[in-house]
Amino acid sequence: MIGCCAVSACHQDEDDIFAAADITLSAGDTVTIERIQGTASLTNLNSKQVTTTSDFDVATLHLTLLRSSYSADVEGLVRYRNARGEVYTRHMRAHSDYIALDKKGSNQAVLDIIFLE
């Protein structure tokens, strides 16, 4: 009986240490992103653990990460439509030194795209 109480007292739900994160890449109000093909690397600023993904949903990454602060780097290609409706594909990158993904439940962050050409 005492062992059960001790084990249950030490139990912590995984929901408390993990958070859902939606990280969206933005190129401004006059550009409509149609597709991103690239790699995103998120570095946990506390543990230095790196999470890498290429699973973009149009311009958004949907991840489950340890609740913490992160830096983010994204590199790849973006296909977008400008205000006149013209379609372009260009090399891009995005970066942030600090993203707080520490709330229980859902966290959102927006990274601005830097066109390289």
Side-chain angles (χ1 to χ4, degrees), residues 76-95:
L77 294 170
V78 59
R79 185 174 71 197
Y80 65 93
R81 187 176 303 274
N82 67 12
R84 293 185 300 268
E86 301 164 328
V87 176
Y88 295 95
T89 300
R90 294 176 65 183
H91 289 276
M92 63 86 190
R93 70 179 304 268
H95 173 79

Side-chain angles (χ1 to χ4, degrees), residues 17-71:
I17 61 173
F18 288 98
D22 293 333
I23 300 171
T24 302
L25 301 185
S26 173
D29 294 338
T30 61
V31 172
T32 302
I33 296 174
E34 293 184 346
R35 179 183 172 130
I36 292 179
Q37 183 176 351
T39 302
S41 298
L42 290 107
T43 303
N44 184 310
L45 296 177
N46 294 315
S47 69
K48 305 302 181 204
Q49 177 183 6
V50 178
T51 301
T52 304
T53 184
S54 296
D55 192 18
F56 285 93
D57 179 11
V58 183
T60 303
L61 294 167
H62 305 286
L63 304 160
T64 301
L65 299 166
L66 287 172
R67 289 176 44 209
S68 188
S69 300
Y70 290 83
S71 66

